[in-house]
Amino acid sequence: MARVSMSKTIPQAAFFVGLGTAILLNAVIGLMNLAGSYPLLSLLPEGFPRQLHIDPHAVGLPTGQLPHPNHWSLLMAFGVPLLWVATRRLPWVLRSGLAVAWLALVATGRSRIALAVAVVGILALVWRWPGRRGWPMALVTTIAAVAWLAAALSILQALRIGALSLNITGGRWAVFGYAFPTVWTWKWIGTGFGMWERWALSPDGLAGYHGAYAGWFSVAHSEPFQLWFELGVLGVLVGACAVATLGRDALVVWRTNDALGHALVAIALMAVLAMWVTIPFRIPVLAMTALVAAARVQVRARAHRPGLQWAPPSEASGR
C-alpha cells in the first residue's frame, strides 16, 4: 500500500492557527481586564455571584478566559515562539521590537515564572545557529533580554506586597520544606494518587503547620515534587523517561530547518521548565497546549528520521 506524505495529510499550520487565535483572543480580553473590564462576566446569568470568578488579589490584572493571572501570563508566554516564527521574514530590529512588546504584555500578569520561561524560549530560538553574520545580533538581543528580565523581575517583586508576596515567593520553599519529611518517609512508592491535597488540607499536614498556606497549596505548585510525593521515586523515573523521550525527539527536530518545528520545541521546553515551580499540566488549556506541542514534536521527529515516513495508521497497518 502506498504511503502518504505527512504534509499532504495533516494541515501543518492548523495547530499554530488555533493556538495563535486563542492567545490573541486572551490577549485582548486580558488588556480589557487591565482596564477593569471583565466582558466574560456579562455572559453569566442574572443574579449569579460573579465575584466568585475573580480572586480578590487578581482584580485589575489580566486573566482572560483563565482562572488566574499567572496562568494567563504563561499562555501569553507560549505565544512568544509563535510570534518569532510568524515574523521571521521581517527585519531583525522590527522582529526583536515585536518580541519585546509581547514580553511586556506577558509581564502585565505579574508572573515572574511566565516571564522567565518566555525569555528562555525566545533566546533558544535566537541562538539556534545564527551563523557568522547573525551572532552579533543574537548577542545584543541576549544582553537586552537578560537586562530587561532582571529589571522586570525587580519591579514585579516590588509590586508583590503583603500576603501575596508571602505565599508566592517564600511560601513555596517553606511548604516544600515542611512536606519533605513525608516525602522521604514514602520516597520509593509515594503516598498515593491525590494524597497531596488530602495532606495539605489535613490538620496533621500543611493546614496544621500554616493554615493560610493550605488553600494556596492544595496542589504543590511543582509537578515533579508532587509526583514524588504521590508516586515516589518509581513515578518520578517514569516521568523522567517520558521527558527524556521528548528531549530525544526535540533534538531531531531542532537540527532540521523546520521553523514551525522549532517553535513547537520551544513551547515544549517552556512547559517543562515551568512545571518545576508552577502547574501548567493542571490547567486544561495550558496542559493541552504543552501536550499537543510535545506530540507534534514527536510526529515531526519521526518524519525527519532517515528511512521513516509518516502514514495514517490504517495505511501503515495495510488495512
Side-chain angles (χ1 to χ4, degrees):
M1 180 69 67
R3 295 199 170 191
V4 182
S5 136
M6 181 176 66
S7 61
K8 294 180 180 179
T9 56
I10 297 180
Q12 293 291 302
F15 172 69
F16 292 91
V17 171
L19 179 59
T21 301
I23 290 175
L24 287 174
L25 174 62
N26 276 275
V28 171
I29 299 175
L31 291 174
M32 297 176 70
N33 298 158
L34 281 173
S37 173
Y38 292 85
L40 296 181
L41 294 185
S42 63
L43 302 178
L44 296 176
E46 190 67 28
F48 196 87
R50 302 181 181 185
Q51 67 274 14
L52 296 179
H53 289 257
I54 304 177
D55 289 336
H57 71 271
V59 174
L61 294 178
T63 58
Q65 295 172 296
L66 286 92
H68 194 281
N70 286 354
H71 306 153
W72 177 89
S73 293
L74 189 54
L75 180 62
M76 295 301 103
F78 287 157
V80 171
L82 301 185
L83 178 66
W84 190 255
V85 170
T87 59
R88 62 186 180 276
R89 300 187 185 279
L90 296 179
W92 189 287
V93 174
L94 179 57
R95 194 182 184 190
S96 299
L98 291 172
V100 169
W102 194 266
L103 289 175
L105 176 67
V106 174
T108 60
R110 300 189 185 182
S111 170
R112 292 161 298 168
I113 296 166
L115 188 57
V117 299
V119 170
V120 169
I122 192 67
L123 291 184
L125 293 170
V126 166
W127 279 103
R128 187 197 164 274
W129 301 323
R132 183 178 301 177
R133 296 182 179 180
W135 79 260
M137 291 302 298
L139 180 62
V140 170
T141 301
T142 301
I143 294 173
V146 172
W148 189 93
L149 176 62
L153 293 180
S154 299
I155 294 172
L156 291 178
Q157 176 62 29
L159 291 174
R160 294 187 182 279
I161 57 176
L164 183 60
S165 176
L166 178 67
N167 280 281
I168 294 185
T169 55
R172 260 190 192 86
W173 310 115
V175 169
F176 295 163
Y178 185 69
F180 187 77
T182 303
V183 171
W184 193 250
T185 300
W186 299 93
K187 56 182 175 292
W188 298 113
I189 60 174
T191 57
F193 264 129
M195 287 301 294
W196 174 276
E197 183 177 10
R198 179 178 293 184
W199 171 84
L201 300 178
S202 169
D204 297 326
L206 185 56
Y209 163 68
H210 198 308
Y213 284 156
W216 286 89
F217 289 94
S218 58
V219 292
H221 286 75
S222 172
E223 305 281 14
F225 190 81
Q226 185 162 342
L227 186 65
W228 189 18
F229 186 97
E230 295 185 351
L231 297 181
V233 171
L234 297 178
V236 171
L237 289 176
V238 171
C241 287
V243 173
T245 300
L246 173 61
R248 178 202 63 190
D249 292 336
L251 285 176
V252 172
V253 176
W254 196 252
R255 291 169 178 166
T256 68
N257 293 322
D258 184 355
L260 295 181
H262 302 156
L264 289 168
V265 170
I267 291 172
L269 171 65
M270 292 160 66
V272 169
L273 292 177
M275 76 178 182
W276 288 88
V277 284
T278 188
I279 51 173
F281 294 102
R282 296 175 189 274
I283 306 301
V285 65
L286 300 179
M288 181 184 69
T289 300
L291 293 174
V292 172
R296 292 190 68 83
V297 164
Q298 294 186 300
V299 169
R300 290 171 119 82
R302 179 177 174 81
H304 288 302
R305 285 195 184 98
L308 291 177
Q309 188 176 21
W310 186 92
S314 60
E315 295 194 9
S317 61
R319 293 179 186 174

